[in-house]
Amino acid sequence: MELHTERLYLKPYTQDLAARVVELAGDPSVAATTFVPHPYTLEVAEQWIDSHKEWIEKKCVFPLAMIMKDTGELVGTMTLRMDDHHNKGELAYWVGKPYWNNGFASEAAIEMVNFGFEQLGLHRIWSAAISTNPASLKVMKKAGLSYEGTLKHDVYHRGEYKDIDVYGAINKE
C-alpha cells in the first residue's frame, strides 16, 4: 500500500529507516509533544517496524512513513489505528523537528483521512493531542477534523498531568 501527496510518499516502513526513526522520534522536542517512547532506542524502532507488516495485512493499524518525494528523506509518521467494532479510526502522527512548520503533517493527514473515509469506509475518524501542542491542533483542523472537547488532566506525560484536545469527523459530514 502506498499513498501520495504533492510532496510526500506515505508508505510502509522498512528496516533501513530504523536508525532515522531513532534520530527523529528520539529528539527530546518530539517526545515533549507526542507519545513516542523516550528515550527511543534502535531496538524499539526495529521491533515497531517489524510489527507493521502484520498490522497492515490485518488492517488494524496503518503506520506509514512520510517520505519526501524530491529527496527520499523520512519526515515522520502518519498512522491510522482501526477500531472495527465501532467503524472508526484514530489518526496519530509525529514529525521530526527539522521538518516542523513545513505543512508535511497537514498534507499527510488530509491524505490519510481521505484514505480512511474513501478506501476503508470508516464512519468516523478522530485524533487527540496535548492541548499545549498548537501545531498538532492545526494539523487536525486542516485535515477536516473539528474540535470536540478537552479531557482535563487526561494523561500523565513526562512527569505531569496534561490536558488532551480531541478532534473528529464523521464521513460525509
Side-chain angles (χ1 to χ4, degrees):
M1 108 169 254
E2 189 170 305
L3 305 174
H4 302 267
T5 71
E6 182 182 335
R7 301 178 295 164
L8 300 169
Y9 296 113
L10 303 176
K11 57 188 185 178
Y13 271 89
T14 52
Q15 281 297 341
D16 61 311
L17 294 172
R20 186 69 174 150
V21 168
V22 172
E23 186 179 333
L24 294 175
D27 184 308
S29 300
V30 173
T33 58
T34 66
F35 299 102
V36 296
H38 190 76
Y40 206 113
T41 66
L42 184 60
E43 181 182 15
V44 168
E46 289 171 343
Q47 289 173 352
W48 178 66
I49 292 169
D50 275 344
S51 303
H52 293 184
K53 186 173 191 258
E54 181 181 350
W55 292 345
I56 291 170
E57 284 174 0
K58 288 183 174 182
K59 296 183 178 179
C60 63
V61 183
F62 295 90
L64 301 179
M66 295 188 292
I67 306 289
M68 291 176 57
K69 286 181 175 179
D70 60 349
T71 65
E73 293 173 69
L74 175 67
V75 170
T77 301
M78 186 61 54
T79 301
L80 191 60
R81 295 184 190 106
M82 307 300 289
D83 178 342
D84 289 337
H85 182 73
H86 297 288
N87 195 30
K88 66 182 179 178
E90 177 192 6
L91 187 68
Y93 44 87
W94 60 264
V95 173
K97 189 174 181 178
Y99 307 100
W100 287 3
N101 300 310
N102 288 294
F104 292 123
S106 296
E107 188 175 317
I110 290 165
E111 184 62 26
M112 192 64 108
V113 168
N114 288 338
F115 169 72
F117 284 148
E118 295 170 12
Q119 302 296 313
L120 300 176
L122 293 175
H123 175 68
R124 171 177 160 72
I125 294 177
W126 69 280
S127 191
I130 297 170
S131 300
T132 55
N133 182 353
S136 191
L137 304 178
K138 277 188 201 173
V139 169
M140 292 185 282
K141 289 176 195 172
K142 288 181 179 180
L145 308 183
S146 299
Y147 175 74
E148 295 182 342
T150 298
L151 306 173
K152 295 294 190 181
H153 287 212
D154 190 59
V155 296
Y156 189 71
H157 182 263
R158 316 285 185 231
E160 63 182 308
Y161 289 98
K162 295 186 181 172
D163 297 350
I164 297 294
D165 285 355
V166 178
Y167 285 70
I170 305 300
N171 198 352
K172 309 294 187 227
E173 196 172 66

